[in-house]
Amino acid sequence: MNKEKFLDLGKQPIANKFLNQDEFDDEFFYTLSVGFDKDTYLVTHMDYVNPKLMFNDSYAYRGSMSKTMRDHFSKVSTELKTILPINPKVLEIGSNDGVFLTNWNKSRTIAVEPCGNFAQETNNMGYETYNDFWNEITSSNILEKHGKMDLIFAANCICHIPDLDSVFRSVENLLSEDGLFVFEDPSLAEMINVNSYDQIYDEHPHVFSVIALQNILSRNGLSIIRVDNIPVHGGSNRIWAKKTSFSNSDKSVENNIELEKVMGLNKMSTFTTFARRVYDSKISLLSILSSCRNNHKKVISYGATSKSTTIFNYCDIGTELIKYITDTTPEKQNKYSPGTHIPIITPEEGFDESVDFAFLGAWNFVKEIKKKEKDFKGKFITHVPVVRLI
Ligand code: JHZ
C-alpha cells in the first residue's frame, strides 16, 4: 500500500477489552494513526493490531443488545428472502451472538465467528459455527463440506479485517455463480459528514468509501451492484456485490461514487481538513466537561462503547470528568473502561435523578435512548455532529 498518515489518535487500548482492577497494570496499548492509501483511496490504519488481541474467547460486544439492531437484521433478512432462490444456502461472516442468524433456517445456514464465546453460543442455538477467522483456509473448508453459497452476509465485520484482498478472494471462492455478497459497515462519507472520528478504533482498521471498495473488490473478481445508505451505527453503507461476470449495477452505485467524489473522498486534502475538525471536537468536549466539573455537576456516560474508548483515550477523559458509565451488557458491567478505567455499572444502579449530564457513548442509538429515557430530567451531551447538549 501507498499510505500517507493524516490523523493521530494517540495511545489507545483494546477498545472492547473491559477490565477488572487487577488487569490495569498489564493493559496493552498501541499508537492509533490513520492514513490514506493513494492507490485504492482506502482510509486505513497505518499499523494493524493483531486480531487475536481483539477477537478471542472473552469478546464483550453483543449485537443483540438494542431493539434497533434486532429489528434491523429482521428487516434485511425479510428483504433478502424475497430476492434469493427458495431455501437458499447462507453463510454469515462474523455472526457475533446470532442476532442476524436467528432469522434464518438452521439447516441451511453456516456461520464463521472468531470469538470462542459467541461461536459456542450460536453452535448451541443450532447454527453450525466455525470458530475461525475469515480467510482462504476457512472458505475452502466450508466449500469442501457444504458447497457454494447463495448468500454471503457480513455486518460490521469486513471493515474489521486487515487483509481485504484475502477477504474478497475467500468470498469469491465460496459464492455460487449467481450468488449475492451483502455486507454493511460504517460509511466514510457519514464519518466525515458528522465528524464521528470515534468510528476509528482497533477493530475498525478501515473506514470504507464506495470508491475504495469498488477498487479492491474488482481486483478480486467481484463488483458492486447496489449500495444502500442505511442509518445504523451512525450511518453505514450496505454493499451488494456479485461475481463480476454476473454483475449488473444499478444507479445507486454511480450516485454514491459521484457524491463521494464531490466530497473529495479520493483526495488526501479532505482528510487533513477532517483531522483539524477532530482536534477541535476534542477541545470543545473537554471544555464542556470541565465546565460541568467546575460547577459540581454529576456527569456520567451512557453506553460503554468501542467508540467511547477512542474518545476517552484521545481526549484523556477519566473519572475526574465522567463518574461512571452505564451499560446493559452483562459482560461489561462491574468492569472498567479500557485505558482510562471508568467504572461500568447497570443502568438500574446508575441512571437516576442524581445524574445532571449523560455523555452519549452510544450516540448512534440516540432515538432509542431518548424514547427509553423520556423521564430523564438532565441533559445528554453528544459530540456529533458538533459538541452540544441535547
Ligand atoms: P454500539 C461495536 O461498537 C463493536 P460499539 C464493533 N466493532 C462494531 O463494529 C460495532 O459495534 C457495530 C449499550 N446500550 O452498538 C449496549 C445501553 O447500555 O454503539 C452496547 O454496549 N443502553 C463490533 O461498542 C453499547 O451501548 C441502550 O439503551 O461502539 C452500544 O454499542 C442501548 C441502545 C445500548 O457499538
Side-chain angles (χ1 to χ4, degrees):
M1 272 201 229
N2 185 10
K3 296 189 235 186
E4 191 177 339
K5 179 170 140 182
F6 64 84
L7 177 64
D8 197 335
L9 293 169
K11 290 272 174 236
Q12 293 281 344
I14 299 295
N16 260 312
K17 174 99 184 79
F18 297 89
L19 308 163
N20 295 314
Q21 243 164 352
D22 61 4
E23 295 172 304
F24 290 177
D25 289 346
D26 299 327
E27 194 170 10
F28 171 85
F29 286 86
Y30 68 99
T31 302
L32 177 52
S33 51
V34 191
F36 176 65
D37 176 30
K38 290 180 175 163
D39 296 334
T40 60
Y41 306 137
L42 180 70
V43 165
T44 187
H45 293 189
M46 296 305 288
D47 297 301
Y48 303 125
V49 174
N50 179 350
K52 290 185 182 149
L53 291 175
M54 301 175 269
F55 306 112
N56 45 44
D57 296 351
S58 55
Y59 189 63
Y61 176 76
R62 281 185 176 274
S64 65
M65 278 293 112
S66 73
K67 180 172 178 335
T68 310
M69 293 313 292
R70 292 192 298 273
D71 292 350
H72 170 75
F73 288 122
S74 150
K75 198 168 154 211
V76 65
S77 300
T78 305
E79 182 179 356
L80 284 165
K81 284 174 192 170
T82 64
I83 296 167
L84 290 164
I86 295 170
N87 232 349
K89 274 162 78 177
V90 176
L91 171 83
E92 185 183 15
I93 310 172
S95 48
N96 192 256
D97 65 352
V99 60
F100 172 80
L101 290 179
T102 48
N103 299 286
W104 296 85
N105 184 330
K106 289 182 183 151
S107 66
R108 306 279 293 169
T109 306
I110 309 294
V112 174
E113 173 52 60
C115 303
N117 50 334
F118 289 127
Q120 187 173 359
E121 206 168 299
T122 52
N123 266 314
N124 292 343
M125 282 159 63
Y127 294 94
E128 182 173 347
T129 308
Y130 286 68
N131 182 205
D132 286 312
F133 285 94
W134 177 248
N135 53 32
E136 285 93 337
I137 298 169
T138 309
S139 165
S140 295
N141 288 342
I142 296 174
L143 181 64
E144 204 174 305
K145 186 163 171 208
H146 300 278
K148 302 240 177 194
M149 297 289 149
D150 299 306
L151 170 69
I152 299 182
F153 184 84
N156 302 299
C157 172
I158 302 301
C159 77
H160 292 58
I161 312 179
D163 186 348
L164 293 173
D165 287 311
S166 155
V167 168
F168 296 145
R169 265 199 311 273
S170 310
V171 166
E172 206 273 340
N173 176 48
L174 192 54
L175 206 57
S176 67
E177 285 313 286
D178 197 24
L180 261 182
F181 173 37
V182 178
F183 61 105
E184 44 186 72
D185 290 289
S187 139
L188 180 66
E190 271 309 294
M191 182 181 88
I192 300 289
N193 273 337
V194 303
N195 210 27
S196 52
Y197 68 90
D198 51 338
Q199 293 288 10
I200 304 167
Y201 48 90
D202 53 357
E203 290 180 18
H204 287 179
H206 325 287
V207 186
F208 291 142
S209 63
V210 180
I211 298 176
L213 282 172
Q214 183 74 297
N215 288 336
I216 304 167
L217 282 159
S218 66
R219 68 187 187 199
N220 291 289
L222 297 165
S223 286
I224 304 179
I225 57 161
R226 170 177 153 185
V227 178
D228 301 338
N229 307 122
I230 52 177
V232 294
H233 289 300
S236 299
N237 284 331
R238 180 182 296 137
I239 305 289
W240 301 62
K242 281 190 153 195
K243 293 198 184 215
T244 300
S245 43
F246 282 79
S247 68
N248 193 2
S249 66
D250 76 10
K251 212 59 191 136
S252 61
V253 182
E254 196 187 312
N255 289 347
N256 271 272
I257 289 179
E258 277 315 304
L259 187 71
E260 289 184 351
K261 284 186 182 158
V262 171
M263 288 183 71
L265 299 191
N266 53 351
K267 288 193 203 111
M268 177 69 181
S269 57
T270 306
F271 301 104
T272 43
T273 306
F274 170 68
R276 282 197 291 276
R277 288 167 59 210
V278 170
Y279 180 74
D280 292 347
S281 175
K282 166 178 173 165
I283 300 300
S284 305
L285 181 61
L286 284 172
S287 151
I288 216 169
L289 292 176
S290 314
S291 143
C292 291
R293 179 195 50 203
N294 298 343
N295 288 298
H296 309 289
K297 299 293 181 197
K298 178 168 170 183
V299 185
I300 67 143
S301 188
Y302 198 106
T305 59
S306 321
K307 295 185 289 294
S308 52
T309 297
T310 293
I311 297 181
F312 294 162
N313 286 276
Y314 172 60
C315 301
D316 197 15
I317 294 169
T319 46
E320 69 297 342
L321 293 176
I322 290 198
K323 207 167 162 53
Y324 55 76
I325 306 172
T326 62
D327 197 287
T328 50
T329 315
E331 286 84 349
K332 298 180 184 178
Q333 293 161 353
N334 304 315
K335 300 222 169 169
Y336 292 82
S337 69
T340 62
H341 305 160
I342 305 172
I344 302 163
I345 57 177
T346 65
E348 293 73 27
E349 282 171 290
F351 199 69
D352 57 25
E353 56 290 344
S354 69
V355 175
D356 296 305
F357 295 97
F359 174 71
L360 278 173
W363 57 267
N364 41 313
F365 293 113
V366 62
K367 270 199 197 139
E368 179 174 338
I369 293 169
K370 285 190 93 174
K371 193 166 161 202
K372 189 153 92 181
E373 308 296 358
K374 56 183 180 322
D375 297 332
F376 177 46
K377 300 277 186 308
K379 292 262 182 224
F380 288 107
I381 302 174
T382 188
H383 69 293
V384 284
V386 287
V387 175
R388 69 207 156 101
L389 300 178
I390 49 175

